[in-house]
Amino acid sequence: MFTLTPEEKTALELSLRVALWATVASLPPGLLIAMVLSRGKFWGKSILNGIVFLPLVLPPVVTGYLLLLLFGQHGPLGAFLADNFGIVFAFRWTGAALACAVMGFPLLVRALQLSIDAIDRGLEDAAGTLGASPGWVFVTVTLPLILPGIIAGTILSFARAMGEFGATITFVSNIPGETQTLPTAIYTFTQVPGGEFAAFRLTAIAVVVSMSALLASEAIGGIVGHRIGVEA
Amino acid sequence: MIRVAVQHRLGSFDLNAQFESDGRVTALFGRSGSGKTSLVNAIGGLIRPACAHISLDGEILVDTEQRVFVAKHRRRVAYVFQDARLFPHLTVRQNLLYGRWFTPPAKRFGQLAQVVELLGIGHLLQRRPRNLSGGEKQRVAIGRALLASPRLLIMDEPLASLDEARKAEILPYLERLYDETKVPTIYVSHSVLEVARLADTLVVMAEGRVEATGPTADVMARLDLPPFTDLIEAGAVLEAEILKHDDSFGLTVLSLCGSRLWVPRLDRHRVGAKVRVHIRARDVMLSTRPPDRLSALNVLRGTIAEIGPQRGPIRDVRLDCSGQAILARITRRSVESLHLTEGTTVYAVIKAVGLDRQTFGAASRHANGADTTAIPI
């Protein structure tokens, strides 16, 4: 029987918590940005596009360092949030979640944007002529139709968060119980003599978690796709 | 009463159209690209015209001078699109009730059960749109628009994407719809048959402009409207009364212009009912003497009211038969050899089999029509 040691349990729980929060918190802004990028016509759209997709092309270490500069204890945003709202990111699990959210954001936005682009705008017009205000059109037509995209984007962003290493370790370091997620724990074990077996056990856990997420997304996507009549 | 005046530029296309109508079914007729869809899109609020005044029963929907623009979801102008546009994530039943949900209870009319019965879609309620045939989709789309309790119904070529069999399947439903509900309708079409059968008021469009407006029979009797006269289905629309059904030969006898018209049996109509008949100009022959020993059953006497301009070898002739117009499409050679001129008495010979089921519509419809039984649904 495969039982987890307390350290492994802590790392796994932390990883799941970080990934879950990163995904859930980035969904609303991701949806907003995807709508704006897909539908909006305004000056500076390509700049916004560039900023959103920057973490995809930058080395993760650079992203982590930029986050440290902005959201660190003395960073302009970090100091503002700590003074006014009591929100601290530096060297906390919340910081790890922020790093994961930023790294997963381009994947989420891309998936949402593609599904928004694929919507037949005529359906939204039809809903409007039937008396639905723009808000209701979004809730009753747009949102249900992009559900497969939301699921795909969420899973991608979750998987990215589970595997995030460079930005996390640069921004919030590698503190057991606070910021030590599965990847950073594996890294730590590979750095100490005799840690290979522990690293291998964690690797197996990571594989199981990621595989489960993928299978779950396939299953949910299939059901949703069937319901809305899209061949998934 | 709807009043429409729209000026709008779409790329290199210039839309500049005005019309008003208090008809029950107003057809916007014209070739593809004549601006019909742009015009109804302006009425429905799908486009924002550069310069426009649109009002419905006195309420202003768009007035660019006064900077009034009522959003599409507040107009209560429901749309039936050519491509149905049913919501794929909802069942047929949910689709039907979608617009109803957004209508204030005080302004709702019609019940789901009535509309379902009217359109014959009861067996589809639990299905999803992707499992429906084209004709079924279109019927559901019509029901969905009706149940939004609109003040105006816009139908943008609702039959254009269907094959002939599906069209024939839906047309009777449309006729019932127009007979049994009171919602004024703008019906966009490039089909003479549909217009002749369904519309009481006709607006003819060409190149972004309105060429003619008026009662369907009057406009269709004109010889100077190329959008019509160029088509092989061109012909007059007349009103006739059913005298009797003849079972032994499978025919129906109509009273038309003081004469009798024998046509293939019209099962759907009662004796005494009024029907409209679309007689294609190319199905009418002319004779200067009363013909006899002819296989054609129908001979109507009339005088030539107008001979249209020559187009190649062809000329269209309009006859006056006791006040109603009949069009005949004959060769220029025949006009000359028979010495046809305005005022000549002639006999129009119409082949009964030329008047197939497609050419008959129910009696005339008027906004306050006393001759039709209008049931508010």
Side-chain angles (χ1 to χ4, degrees):
Chain A
M1 183 67 194
F2 192 87
T3 46
L4 298 175
T5 65
E7 291 79 30
E8 284 168 352
K9 227 175 142 187
T10 312
L12 176 61
E13 273 174 14
L14 188 69
S15 264
L16 286 174
R17 187 178 355 144
V18 164
L20 217 59
W21 273 98
T23 308
V24 169
S26 56
L27 191 55
L31 209 51
L32 184 73
I33 299 275
M35 278 300 270
V36 166
L37 286 178
S38 178
R39 300 277 170 87
K41 286 194 189 98
F42 55 93
W43 187 89
K45 187 170 154 178
S46 38
I47 294 173
L48 177 65
N49 196 59
I51 291 172
V52 168
F53 288 96
L54 206 54
L56 208 57
V57 289
L58 280 180
V61 179
V62 174
T63 307
Y65 189 61
L66 286 174
L67 284 174
L68 189 61
L69 290 181
L70 280 173
F71 290 94
Q73 273 153 342
H74 306 293
L77 284 170
F80 174 80
L81 288 172
D83 292 348
N84 292 288
F85 301 101
I87 301 171
V88 178
F89 287 110
F91 306 110
R92 299 275 177 88
W93 73 269
T94 47
L98 177 66
C100 290
V102 169
M103 292 303 291
F105 203 62
L107 300 173
L108 176 68
V109 169
R110 191 78 199 127
L112 292 175
Q113 205 183 331
L114 284 175
S115 59
I116 294 169
D117 286 344
I119 289 184
D120 175 4
R121 300 293 302 270
L123 290 173
E124 295 174 329
D125 276 345
T129 60
L130 291 166
S133 63
W136 278 115
V137 172
F138 181 76
V139 173
T140 59
V141 176
T142 317
L143 218 46
L145 289 180
I146 62 169
L147 206 52
I150 293 179
I151 291 166
T154 309
I155 296 292
L156 273 175
S157 147
F158 181 80
R160 185 76 191 79
M162 286 298 291
E164 164 46 33
F165 175 77
T168 309
I169 204 164
T170 314
F171 180 29
V172 291
S173 183
N174 186 3
I175 307 161
E178 187 64 45
T179 65
Q180 192 179 64
T181 57
L182 279 179
T184 48
I186 292 170
Y187 170 73
T188 309
F189 281 121
T190 59
Q191 298 304 301
V192 291
E196 287 85 0
F197 184 63
F200 179 74
R201 282 173 62 97
L202 286 174
T203 307
I205 296 168
V207 168
V208 168
V209 170
S210 303
M211 200 63 198
S212 311
L214 278 180
L215 290 178
S217 88
E218 283 283 309
I220 299 169
I223 294 166
V224 170
H226 180 75
R227 278 203 48 167
I228 68 164
V230 178
E231 302 310 324
Chain B
M1 175 64 134
I2 177 155
R3 289 168 199 271
V4 177
V6 172
Q7 262 182 293
H8 192 61
R9 245 190 121 68
L10 283 157
S12 62
F13 182 75
D14 217 356
L15 178 69
N16 186 354
Q18 300 81 35
F19 76 90
E20 53 180 72
S21 166
D22 57 359
R24 172 68 192 75
V25 179
T26 304
L28 274 189
F29 178 88
R31 293 195 186 101
S32 305
S34 57
K36 310 182 294 288
T37 296
S38 305
L39 191 56
V40 286
N41 281 348
I43 298 170
L46 298 183
I47 59 170
R48 194 183 271 265
C51 181
H53 182 98
I54 300 171
S55 71
L56 183 60
D57 299 326
E59 189 195 318
I60 293 171
L61 298 181
V62 182
D63 189 332
T64 41
E65 267 176 33
Q66 291 179 46
R67 294 175 176 277
V68 177
F69 183 87
V70 178
K72 59 177 173 288
H73 64 280
R74 298 214 171 89
R75 292 191 185 192
R76 299 185 56 227
V77 172
Y79 230 114
V80 176
F81 299 90
Q82 186 178 333
D83 50 350
R85 300 193 187 177
L86 300 179
F87 303 124
H89 57 296
L90 301 178
T91 61
V92 166
R93 187 192 168 84
Q94 289 166 332
N95 265 285
L96 285 169
L97 291 172
Y98 186 89
R100 190 170 183 76
W101 200 65
F102 294 105
T103 314
K107 292 185 173 169
R108 286 179 192 167
F109 54 80
Q111 296 296 327
L112 180 66
Q114 284 173 296
V115 171
V116 163
E117 199 275 325
L118 177 76
L119 295 165
I121 49 179
H123 58 296
L124 307 174
L125 289 179
Q126 302 311 320
R127 306 250 296 264
R128 293 202 178 258
R130 67 172 161 156
N131 299 323
L132 305 184
S133 73
E136 289 169 339
K137 277 183 190 163
Q138 212 49 276
R139 267 144 70 193
V140 173
I142 292 165
R144 181 178 70 172
L146 263 186
L147 282 164
S149 309
R151 292 186 298 175
L152 177 71
L153 194 58
I154 292 176
M155 295 193 160
D156 187 5
E157 308 240 14
L159 307 184
S161 60
L162 306 175
D163 58 39
E164 290 306 319
R166 295 286 88 73
K167 280 183 195 172
E169 166 199 321
I170 292 192
L171 269 168
Y173 288 112
L174 285 180
E175 283 183 336
R176 267 191 81 186
L177 171 77
Y178 298 145
D179 288 342
E180 295 182 14
T181 71
K182 280 181 169 171
V183 188
T185 300
I186 294 184
Y187 189 98
V188 176
S189 180
H190 64 260
S191 154
V192 180
L193 290 181
E194 287 166 35
V195 168
R197 202 165 148 175
L198 299 170
D200 55 45
T201 305
L202 187 49
V203 177
V204 180
M205 290 192 69
E207 286 160 17
R209 275 160 184 75
V210 171
E211 296 278 305
T213 310
T216 304
D218 296 357
V219 175
M220 287 189 69
R222 282 174 59 175
L223 302 179
D224 58 342
L225 289 172
F228 269 112
T229 46
D230 287 354
L231 295 166
I232 56 168
E233 296 96 348
V237 172
L238 298 92
E239 196 163 290
E241 190 183 324
I242 295 190
L243 288 181
K244 65 170 180 181
H245 294 297
D246 183 325
D247 289 323
S248 51
F249 290 107
L251 295 170
T252 292
V253 187
L254 303 175
S255 155
L256 180 73
C257 310
S259 305
R260 288 170 171 227
L261 193 66
W262 297 74
V263 299
R265 196 183 149 96
L266 300 171
D267 296 311
R268 287 186 296 114
H269 304 282
R270 286 174 295 105
V271 169
K274 290 199 169 167
V275 291
R276 48 164 75 187
V277 190
H278 173 220
I279 302 176
R280 283 177 292 219
R282 60 204 287 265
D283 291 334
V284 179
M285 289 178 274
L286 296 182
S287 164
T288 47
R289 259 178 278 160
D292 64 345
R293 305 194 70 79
L294 214 58
S295 73
L297 290 168
N298 305 307
V299 179
L300 301 174
R301 187 171 180 273
T303 53
I304 292 180
E306 185 187 355
I307 299 178
Q310 68 179 58
R311 288 176 297 117
I314 289 167
R315 298 192 85 163
D316 286 339
V317 176
R318 190 177 81 230
L319 312 184
D320 177 17
C321 290
S322 322
Q324 299 209 67
I326 290 183
L327 299 190
R329 179 161 292 177
I330 55 178
T331 59
R332 207 169 80 216
R333 184 172 179 276
S334 301
V335 173
E336 282 175 20
S337 61
L338 293 173
H339 305 291
L340 300 180
T341 52
E342 284 170 20
T344 312
T345 298
V346 288
Y347 298 84
V349 181
I350 302 156
K351 273 193 83 166
V353 292
L355 303 170
D356 52 33
R357 301 184 60 88
Q358 295 292 324
T359 59
F360 290 93
S364 60
R365 302 175 191 90
H366 301 291
N368 314 305
D371 52 354
T372 57
T373 43
I375 308 162
I377 66 154

